[in-house]
Amino acid sequence: MEDKAIIGLYWARSEEAIPRTEEKYGSWCRRIAYNILRNEEDSEEAVNDTYLQAWQSIPPARPERLKLYLGRITRNLSLNRLKYRQASKRDERITFPALDDLSDIVSGKPQPEGELFRKELVQALNGYLRNLPSYKRNVFLRRYWYGDSVKTIADHFGKKEGTISVLLHRLRTELARYLTERGIDV
Amino acid sequence: MTKEELWKAIESVDDDLVEAADDRKGSSAEKTGSSGPASKRHLFKPLLAAAACVVLIAAGWLVLGGRRPAPVPDFDNPIQRTEPQMEQGVVLDHTPVTKNAFYTADFARLLLVYKEHVYVEASRMFRGNELMGERLGYISESIDEWTMRDDFVEQGGIVSGDFFAVKGFSPDLMVAMPVRSGEVVFLVRAEDLILSKGADILENILHLGSRAEGLIYAKGSLSQNEPFFKLEDSQISVVKDLIASLDRAAVYSWKAFEEGEFSGENLLYTLYFTCSDGMTFHGSLYRNGCLSLPYLTRPVYILLSPEEWAPLLYLLETGAGKACESPNLTLSLADARNDPVFGAFVPESLPEDLHLGSVSVSYEIEPGTGAFMPARSMVIELERENLQGISLEYGYREDYIRNIRHGVVLQPEDLTAEAIRELQEKHSYFLGLALSNNLLVQTYIDPEIITAEEAYDLFMRTIR
């Protein structure tokens, strides 16, 4: 079913929207959730919460790309769930390596909240990514958007894990430098 | 900033980038180092005979001093012209550059806005300063140069810094800007243009007819990693003839063609027209006989008949070109050795099983003149079979101190293979070596990638 038709179902408040969404994007959302949570049960719950949030937000939203709209919700909810699990110490061993990678380049000091800052940061990230060759850009996004493991990325690109680890480290370092040069305090 | 804040910001990067990264096809094109799909030579077999006929007829025509040969009938070749469904000509009007526009990918190239016109990167070269003329102004990498009413969203490719006129070109159509990689980027105006013939782009903007002196080409798209070839000087007349015919050829928008005609599998050759002053201009030849140029805010295509492409295709398909380096800019090890800051520490030679991957340098640019200041950082990437990840990264200590978070810095007198092995056992991922009071070179020392002896050998080559 076309995205437009699925979104139409949401707008018509037809419950059929959920199974159609599951049919088309369920496994995709599950992959993102599992990358972050590493737990099937939690991933399943995160994906179900994704549908619920989509149901609550469409309308008024009319996403241009339903797939990414859902992916962003899943990504968000999964991270919240992970933080909850870590905070409640239900499982202290739970880590999310892709997120932890990023602590290499950040100070850890929270930024003052503000849409303007966030917008600047996103624009700078777009700038950084667009200036990368597509191979490096895709490696970066697979790790830090999709949360893929280093092994998964290495398998996909036919590289050794060490090669991908080095590349990711270098990309993070370059990103930190790029942001700093643009006045964004990381 | 916290890691969660950065993670959440990454969530909002542009859709097209995120989608492109999720190409689940696992295409060989995406896998660097692979040789791409199997050879497409068989596709061209019918062409070879037909193109040979054209060349023979043309040769006969030249020898006999006759008239232009009649068009070759029944031309069964990879170029399959379809009749465009719309009138020729493309008007590139004042274009709001919106975040989700379908053409966003074009702006992976650098762009700037000058006098309310978008200029898009068309070429770049080292040592291009000689071509830069008068300083025209400063671009702040912000929305300022654009009027807000246009709903302009700053794109990633936007640059900041001084920009300059280009000698021999009108700044209304081309400007130049030095960038930190040590290159000068040439940007051409990409909108508020009416394009009806190829000459409106190739001659009026790029001055290609009078300046072209060669052609570098590769099969398919660049991501297929096919080797590059260059035509010999003696074959340049074919390239010049082609440019002359492209100048006369009609321009169409993509809407004039059937869906899918410009898909990846219909891309026959990636071409680079090289000019006497060092600029190169990239184009893509599609199966339907169109040459596309990637410098404009919307895709436009110059359409030639199969007969007009045949002489050049014959040369390309019969292996007339000589293997050459990629026209995409790379520095050599010799360039690295000539670097005024780091050159003295670049190894004279590399270990036998390692070869050079790439050299990249970041420069500061002098305001006002656009001249490159001495280098601040340099990365020499080294490879061996099926392995990337070995590198020498040079930088000032203050720049690099954070990079050494997963490792330590050694003084030259403390450097031994044993010391490196110990670090590897302690899971130190990086090793820095102090080259002088304020210079550092570092490498990754993961034992899966490099042994302690190899890292020691590599480092010793940087010590004078």
Side-chain angles (χ1 to χ4, degrees), chain B residues 171-434:
Chain B
D172 287 339
L173 295 171
M174 186 187 287
V175 298
M177 177 171 245
V179 293
R180 292 192 53 206
S181 55
E183 300 150 13
V184 173
V185 179
F186 298 90
L187 305 103
V188 296
R189 186 169 121 193
E191 40 108 86
D192 269 2
L193 297 169
I194 298 170
L195 309 169
S196 57
K197 295 283 184 196
D200 294 331
I201 312 168
L202 298 175
E203 194 47 49
N204 298 352
I205 301 179
L206 306 179
H207 300 187
L208 201 57
S210 52
R211 298 190 307 136
E213 63 163 22
L215 182 78
I216 294 175
Y217 61 94
K219 277 191 172 176
S221 72
L222 289 183
S223 58
Q224 287 173 281
N225 290 323
E226 292 284 347
F228 284 96
F229 296 93
K230 185 175 186 176
L231 290 184
E232 305 275 16
D233 291 349
S234 59
Q235 296 150 339
I236 296 313
S237 61
V238 174
V239 178
K240 286 187 178 274
D241 287 349
L242 178 80
I243 292 172
S245 54
L246 282 167
D247 274 352
R248 295 189 297 270
V251 172
Y252 292 90
S253 82
W254 62 278
K255 291 178 191 163
F257 298 90
E258 296 288 336
E259 197 176 335
E261 286 195 60
F262 299 108
S263 61
E265 68 254 35
N266 283 328
L267 176 58
L268 289 178
Y269 279 96
T270 297
L271 308 176
Y272 286 86
F273 297 98
T274 60
C275 297
S276 47
D277 55 18
M279 289 191 205
T280 55
F281 294 102
H282 171 200
S284 300
L285 170 62
Y286 285 89
R287 199 175 297 281
N288 62 5
C290 281
L291 179 77
S292 80
L293 302 168
Y295 336 119
L296 305 170
T297 48
R298 292 193 194 110
V300 297
Y301 299 94
I302 304 172
L303 180 64
L304 279 185
S305 66
E307 291 86 345
E308 283 167 311
W309 273 111
L312 180 68
L313 274 174
Y314 179 74
L315 290 180
L316 306 190
E317 277 301 299
T318 51
K322 214 172 154 184
C324 71
E325 293 294 314
S326 159
N328 296 311
L329 296 178
T330 50
L331 286 172
S332 66
L333 208 53
D335 292 319
R337 287 191 198 105
N338 287 331
D339 186 277
V341 176
F342 305 116
F345 303 100
V346 173
E348 291 290 341
S349 62
L350 295 176
E352 254 180 32
D353 63 333
L354 288 182
H355 59 269
L356 184 69
S358 65
V359 178
S360 56
V361 181
S362 293
Y363 289 89
E364 284 291 283
I365 297 164
E366 188 175 65
T369 66
F372 294 111
M373 307 284 276
R376 291 179 63 223
S377 63
M378 173 191 282
V379 179
I380 299 175
E381 294 199 33
L382 304 169
E383 296 173 357
R384 61 177 155 223
E385 203 179 348
N386 296 324
L387 180 64
Q388 295 174 324
I390 304 172
S391 66
L392 290 169
E393 301 189 14
Y394 297 80
Y396 291 111
R397 178 181 287 267
E398 57 265 34
D399 276 347
Y400 274 78
I401 196 74
R402 291 174 62 182
N403 297 1
I404 212 75
R405 187 173 285 181
H406 294 301
V408 297
V409 177
L410 290 181
Q411 295 300 314
E413 56 270 25
D414 301 325
L415 183 69
T416 61
E418 187 53 38
I420 298 173
R421 197 172 302 109
E422 278 176 26
L423 289 168
Q424 287 176 325
E425 283 163 9
K426 287 180 191 164
H427 302 292
S428 290
Y429 293 117
F430 283 87
L431 174 60
L433 180 70

Side-chain angles (χ1 to χ4, degrees), chain A residues 15-176:
Chain A
E15 288 179 9
E16 188 61 15
I18 305 296
R20 293 288 82 83
T21 305
E22 158 68 21
E23 199 175 277
K24 193 163 180 187
Y25 296 121
S27 60
W28 193 73
C29 290
R30 218 162 274 120
R31 166 190 161 207
I32 295 172
Y34 188 79
N35 279 347
I36 296 173
L37 294 163
R38 295 277 149 194
N39 177 304
E40 282 188 17
E41 196 182 321
D42 275 3
S43 304
E44 202 53 49
E45 283 180 29
V47 173
N48 287 335
D49 289 349
T50 300
Y51 301 148
L52 181 65
Q53 193 158 321
W55 178 258
Q56 287 166 346
S57 58
I58 311 174
R62 195 183 278 280
E64 275 183 42
R65 286 172 161 128
L66 182 61
K67 180 178 174 181
L68 295 181
Y69 184 79
L70 296 166
R72 287 191 171 102
I73 297 176
T74 308
R75 199 175 177 275
N76 234 321
L77 292 175
S78 302
L79 187 63
N80 290 344
R81 188 171 281 270
L82 179 81
K83 278 162 67 181
Y84 169 75
R85 279 173 55 183
Q86 287 170 333
S88 64
K89 297 188 180 175
R90 287 168 62 200
D91 189 346
E92 286 177 328
R93 291 165 302 171
I94 290 291
T95 57
F96 177 31
L99 179 67
D100 294 339
D101 277 3
L102 297 176
S103 51
D104 266 10
I105 58 164
V106 295
S107 64
K109 218 168 80 181
Q111 289 290 335
E113 281 189 9
E115 188 51 27
L116 193 64
F117 170 77
R118 199 181 151 280
K119 211 171 163 184
E120 268 181 22
L121 177 58
V122 173
Q123 282 177 353
L125 285 168
N126 278 323
Y128 170 71
L129 291 170
R130 286 195 183 281
N131 282 327
L132 288 178
S134 60
Y135 160 63
K136 291 184 179 177
R137 181 166 62 229
N138 293 344
V139 168
F140 183 95
L141 286 169
R142 278 176 168 263
R143 180 68 169 164
Y144 302 118
W145 203 100
Y146 292 93
D148 280 352
S149 69
V150 170
K151 183 176 185 320
T152 305
I153 300 171
D155 288 348
H156 178 82
F157 288 98
K159 301 284 181 197
K160 289 190 174 178
E161 286 182 53
T163 303
I164 296 297
S165 294
V166 176
L167 176 59
L168 286 167
H169 175 88
R170 192 166 293 145
L171 291 172
R172 291 196 301 274
T173 307
E174 284 172 8
L175 172 64

Side-chain angles (χ1 to χ4, degrees), chain B residues 33-209:
Chain B
S34 70
S35 57
S39 166
K40 296 177 190 163
R41 289 199 79 82
H42 65 281
L43 294 174
F44 294 90
K45 280 179 186 165
L47 167 71
L48 296 181
C53 288
V54 172
V55 171
L56 285 174
I57 292 168
W61 172 64
L62 287 172
V63 169
L64 299 171
R67 296 168 61 83
R68 183 185 173 92
V72 179
D74 195 26
F75 202 86
D76 180 18
N77 71 49
I79 286 192
Q80 296 145 9
R81 177 172 171 163
T82 50
E83 281 307 312
Q85 298 165 357
M86 295 173 70
E87 284 185 19
Q88 73 174 74
V90 177
V91 177
L92 294 176
D93 51 12
H94 198 49
T95 313
V97 186
T98 56
K99 194 172 182 179
N100 294 317
F102 73 93
Y103 46 78
T104 313
D106 287 343
F107 291 123
R109 291 161 180 277
L110 297 187
L111 67 95
L112 60 78
V113 182
Y114 173 50
K115 291 187 178 173
E116 294 202 1
H117 291 308
V118 173
Y119 286 64
V120 179
E121 174 185 346
S123 183
R124 60 169 64 201
M125 59 189 280
F126 288 120
R127 292 171 278 280
N129 291 55
E130 290 168 8
L131 292 175
M132 292 185 343
E134 175 198 0
R135 178 182 176 274
L136 298 175
Y138 177 81
I139 288 289
S140 67
E141 197 181 16
S142 77
I143 201 168
D144 307 350
E145 296 82 14
W146 197 263
T147 52
M148 290 302 285
R149 66 179 163 76
D150 292 303
D151 188 29
F152 177 72
V153 176
E154 182 183 334
Q155 292 292 313
I158 252 194
V159 285
S160 65
D162 289 333
F163 64 101
F164 299 81
V166 183
K167 290 174 186 168
F169 290 82
S170 163
D172 287 339
L173 295 171
M174 186 187 287
V175 298
M177 177 171 245
V179 293
R180 292 192 53 206
S181 55
E183 300 150 13
V184 173
V185 179
F186 298 90
L187 305 103
V188 296
R189 186 169 121 193
E191 40 108 86
D192 269 2
L193 297 169
I194 298 170
L195 309 169
S196 57
K197 295 283 184 196
D200 294 331
I201 312 168
L202 298 175
E203 194 47 49
N204 298 352
I205 301 179
L206 306 179
H207 300 187
L208 201 57

